[in-house]
Amino acid sequence: MGIWLIALCLMSLCVLLKSHHLYRVQVRQLLIYSAVVLGLMFTATNLDSWLYGFKVAPAQVETLYSLATGTDVKSHGTYSPALQATVSHELRVAPTLTQAYPRITRTMARTLQTNLKQIKPQLGSFVNEKMQGFIREDYGYDWSLYNLSHHPGLLNRHWFYLAPILITSATVYWQAMLVIALFSVLMGLGMLWHQHYLNHYLLMAALLLDGFTLSALPLEVQGRYHIILYLPILMLMTCGIAEAKLWRRQIKQS
């Protein structure tokens, strides 16, 4: 959610720097965007509870649990069975959720402080391990194995043999997208000296990619979470294709 607040600040800055021809329209759009973001922030817990059909924990509990899990050196910032067992125990022994949530919050806060002290001497290697876990492409296959394990008839040996092909194909596809996005950024750097509308789209896409990546690393990471990166990467790729067509047109004209 913090990424969208930063985006709101950037959009506000753009409004102030632009001409005043469409000032009222832009201000109205910013107000609508602000209202939607703030509304989602304050109603997220109740909205999730309604969608999922059960009472979702308050945002403070979820955030502290995700931060404590994401800073766990033993699990490399991924799912931690020990922390999950602690939370499950607190929920089981507490008479009500109202009493359980404050205890979980205090426990996760203490765990977070302990984890941060353990991370400090090995911050570089820990972040590198988290980044590798964040962009891994084997999550979908592993999750399918978990789902099919309850149906022995569907889980046959052929599915195991397909694992290297499926995971390798997904990894190559993902890496190819990153390479094309990188070329788009390099071409965009060459256009910084020219006034062109693509510069704005490239800047916003690059900021989104950085923001989504950096905001995910402090929290618990799983391979499926990097799907959000597809949005800014596709934006960068689209800008790169538009730049390539523009350069080709200029070469033909010259």
Side-chain angles (χ1 to χ4, degrees):
M1 186 61 71
I3 298 301
W4 301 112
L5 293 177
I6 296 173
L8 174 61
C9 295
L10 292 173
M11 290 168 61
S12 302
L13 181 61
C14 290
V15 169
L16 295 175
L17 294 177
K18 283 187 175 182
S19 62
H20 298 280
H21 295 297
L22 300 176
Y23 184 77
R24 293 183 178 179
V25 176
Q26 292 169 339
V27 170
R28 184 169 65 250
Q29 292 175 345
L30 285 175
L31 291 176
I32 294 174
Y33 180 87
S34 303
V36 172
V37 171
L38 293 175
L40 288 175
M41 288 182 65
F42 288 110
T43 61
T45 300
N46 293 331
L47 183 62
D48 288 342
S49 299
W50 175 71
L51 289 173
Y52 290 113
F54 59 86
K55 183 64 178 178
V56 177
Q60 184 181 17
V61 178
E62 293 183 358
T63 302
L64 279 174
Y65 171 75
S66 187
L67 286 171
T69 304
T71 55
D72 189 355
V73 177
K74 296 180 181 178
S75 66
H76 307 294
T78 58
Y79 172 77
S80 174
L83 283 178
Q84 179 61 46
T86 300
V87 173
S88 299
H89 174 74
E90 294 288 354
L91 292 173
R92 186 170 58 254
V93 300
T96 62
L97 292 177
T98 306
Q99 295 175 338
Y101 287 149
R103 293 169 58 176
I104 294 174
T105 301
R106 291 191 294 269
T107 302
M108 293 299 106
R110 290 195 300 268
T111 303
L112 175 60
Q113 295 302 320
T114 302
N115 290 346
L116 292 177
K117 293 179 181 178
Q118 295 177 350
I119 289 175
K120 193 173 181 180
Q122 49 181 323
L123 180 61
S125 58
F126 180 75
V127 172
N128 183 45
E129 291 174 349
K130 287 207 68 172
M131 193 64 195
Q132 292 181 27
F134 182 51
I135 62 176
R136 288 181 63 178
E137 283 288 340
D138 58 351
Y139 184 91
Y141 179 81
D142 293 339
W143 188 246
S144 67
L145 288 182
Y146 175 79
N147 288 330
L148 292 176
S149 63
H150 304 291
H151 304 279
L154 298 176
L155 188 60
N156 53 51
R157 58 181 182 176
H158 298 294
W159 188 243
F160 290 100
Y161 293 151
L162 288 174
I165 299 175
L166 295 174
I167 296 175
T168 301
S169 301
T171 303
V172 170
Y173 178 79
W174 168 245
Q175 296 295 335
M177 290 181 63
L178 292 178
V179 170
I180 297 174
L182 175 61
F183 277 113
S184 300
V185 172
L186 294 177
M187 288 190 294
L189 292 176
M191 294 187 61
L192 287 178
W193 310 109
H194 306 280
Q195 292 292 333
H196 199 274
Y197 71 93
L198 284 177
N199 291 335
H200 298 288
Y201 293 110
L202 280 165
L203 175 61
M204 291 302 173
L207 288 175
L208 274 180
L209 180 59
D210 292 339
F212 284 142
T213 303
L214 294 176
S215 63
L217 291 183
L219 307 174
E220 175 190 0
V221 298
Q222 296 181 19
R224 63 189 172 117
Y225 292 164
H226 76 253
I227 191 66
I228 189 63
L229 300 184
Y230 275 56
L231 176 62
I233 288 176
L234 288 174
M235 290 172 62
L236 288 173
M237 292 171 60
T238 303
C239 291
I241 294 172
E243 287 179 83
K245 291 183 177 180
L246 178 64
W247 285 4
R248 183 181 300 176
R249 189 183 304 118
Q250 292 176 348
I251 292 173
K252 289 182 178 180
Q253 291 176 354
S254 61

